[in-house]
Amino acid sequence: MTEHASSEAQPHLGARFAGQVALITGASRGIGLGIAKRLQAEGATVVLTARKPEALAEAVAQFPEGTALAIAGKSDDPEHRAEVYDTIAEKFGRLDVLVTNVGINPVYGPLIDLDLDAARKILDVNVIGTLAWVQEAVHHEKLGFRENRGRVVSISSVASQVPSPGISFYGISKAAVSHLTKSLAVELGPDIRVNAVAPAVVKTNFATALYEGKEEEVASSYPAKRLGTPGDIAGAVAYLASSDADWITAQVLTADGGVVTAGGKA
């Protein structure tokens, strides 16, 4: 299969985020790192979080000096979130864009055999964690998130839209993220816009089990005839977070190469 030549390229980008500060969670690799690179390329100063300090340091080293900051920690840890927001307030004095990308799926198999402790952990990180990041951004007195007409973009999944055997509970958690997006948008408007992007299979380490060794077969069910890349999702997030989408809120943008409409699944 021929790789989509422009999916990761960022030529002739404007400066839609000049002077703005963006926080991207789960950004040491994959979709999160792709989003951070796109927002920085359009002028933002980016703050990246992830669990592993070494991987996060490697990610930040890929950015021009002074344009990216790394803060390692667990997304579902209240102390980590407080550290992140306090650091942003101290160093930059503002937050304009929040991208909640962190998501876990530690189990694979039928719902009927799902370990309930694993289910609780998935909900805690994917759903409660998403809500907590937004709550704390809005309530932080020194970030000015509401005053800056902040934008939230969360990462959902097409697994939230159609049953996806093997990753069903992950899909259930992402369905909650999609509904959370709409509910928050209603509550926080008109000052803060809240949207989400729902990808199908994107070529990252996180999704390897869904396509490794069978990429051609998996992609054949996509009208676009290829799987997604982090750059594809980054472009969608950048649009929703930009002034080009000022009249768009409470939406879940499906970025799936057409597979759901064609009757496929994640």
Side-chain angles (χ1 to χ4, degrees), residues 51-52 59 103 109 116-117 135 155 166 198 215 219 242 244 249 264:
R51 283 189 305 114
K52 299 179 179 179
L116 296 184
D117 285 336
Q135 285 182 333
I155 302 301
E215 183 177 343
S242 76
D244 290 335
T249 194

Side-chain angles (χ1 to χ4, degrees), residues 60-175:
V60 169
Q62 300 175 41
F63 291 80
E65 186 175 355
T67 64
L69 174 68
I71 307 175
K74 295 182 179 179
S75 185
D76 57 339
D77 179 1
E79 292 185 2
H80 169 61
R81 293 193 300 267
E83 178 191 7
V84 169
Y85 283 138
D86 287 347
T87 301
I88 293 173
E90 178 183 348
K91 289 186 174 294
F92 308 116
R94 64 184 296 133
L95 180 66
D96 302 275
V97 178
L98 167 62
V99 181
T100 61
N101 171 64
V102 167
I104 63 168
N105 185 40
V107 292
Y108 185 90
L111 284 172
I112 200 66
D113 297 321
L114 179 66
D115 180 86
L116 296 184
D117 285 336
R120 293 184 186 97
K121 183 65 174 179
I122 291 170
L123 289 178
D124 197 33
V125 174
N126 296 5
V127 184
I128 304 302
T130 296
L131 175 59
W133 280 110
V134 178
Q135 285 182 333
E136 291 160 27
V138 172
H139 290 311
H140 199 288
E141 294 181 354
K142 297 181 179 180
L143 289 175
F145 195 56
R146 189 184 294 273
E147 292 78 6
N148 298 335
R149 299 190 67 81
R151 284 129 283 149
V152 178
V153 184
S154 295
I155 302 301
S156 182
S157 170
V158 296
S160 71
Q161 302 173 16
V162 292
S164 299
I167 58 170
S168 292
F169 201 77
Y170 173 77
I172 290 166
S173 75
K174 290 300 187 176

